[in-house]
Amino acid sequence: MTNQETIDKLLEMGPTTMADAFRAQAAHCTYDIKYHLVWITKYRKPVITGKIAIRTRELIRIICQSNEVEILAGHVGNDHIHLLVSVPPHLSASKLVQYIKGNTSRIILRKHVATSSVIGT
């Protein structure tokens, strides 16, 4: 199905049904919570490159999957990371960022010791 066919189908559904198509459901609620998260490296140093960027992307996917978070869009730049995520209501934005940044930082710095001296940690 092409993008235009998808748009046409959603427009035929009408506003109420179209809004429901993008919502998730839990046992007793319907929700549609999205966060656009952006964070940068210390001093915006370009250290998220090569194997580190690939490993960071993998770790973010694993952490989001384990917390029932759906990644709608994302970009790993050399000095920043963008994520657009859809989260369940029991998970706050601050907890999600804590899980992602804490786990990825700890694992990356443990494996790539040279990176810690570059960014000054």
Side-chain angles (χ1 to χ4, degrees), residues 29-44:
C29 66
T30 301
Y31 60 90
D32 184 24
I33 304 169
K34 292 181 178 64
Y35 297 126
H36 180 213
L37 307 173
V38 181
W39 64 92
I40 62 171
T41 59
K42 190 173 184 178
Y43 307 120
R44 290 199 68 121

Side-chain angles (χ1 to χ4, degrees), residues 57-75:
R57 183 178 291 125
E58 292 170 357
L59 290 170
I60 290 172
R61 287 179 179 162
I62 291 168
I63 293 164
C64 287
Q65 187 178 26
S66 67
N67 287 296
E68 302 171 11
V69 174
E70 180 184 359
I71 300 174
L72 303 174
H75 171 72

Side-chain angles (χ1 to χ4, degrees), residues 3-119:
N3 288 342
Q4 187 59 42
E5 290 172 344
T6 305
I7 292 169
D8 292 341
K9 185 176 180 181
L10 289 173
L11 290 174
E12 290 172 7
M13 296 168 89
T16 306
T17 313
M18 185 170 65
D20 292 339
F22 294 110
R23 293 192 179 124
Q25 292 186 346
H28 298 285
C29 66
T30 301
Y31 60 90
D32 184 24
I33 304 169
K34 292 181 178 64
Y35 297 126
H36 180 213
L37 307 173
V38 181
W39 64 92
I40 62 171
T41 59
K42 190 173 184 178
Y43 307 120
R44 290 199 68 121
K45 291 192 178 180
V47 295
I48 310 174
T49 58
K51 291 181 182 179
I52 294 174
I54 293 168
R55 183 66 176 146
T56 302
R57 183 178 291 125
E58 292 170 357
L59 290 170
I60 290 172
R61 287 179 179 162
I62 291 168
I63 293 164
C64 287
Q65 187 178 26
S66 67
N67 287 296
E68 302 171 11
V69 174
E70 180 184 359
I71 300 174
L72 303 174
H75 171 72
V76 177
N78 60 356
D79 65 349
H80 66 281
I81 296 175
H82 285 270
L83 282 178
L84 177 63
V85 294
S86 176
V87 300
H90 64 81
L91 186 62
S92 67
S94 61
K95 273 294 180 193
L96 176 62
V97 172
Q98 177 185 353
Y99 294 150
I100 294 173
K101 288 179 70 174
N103 289 327
T104 55
S105 174
R106 185 172 10 87
I107 293 168
I108 295 290
L109 290 176
R110 192 178 294 159
K111 177 140 179 134
H112 302 279
V113 179
T115 305
S116 62
S117 64
V118 171
I119 61 173

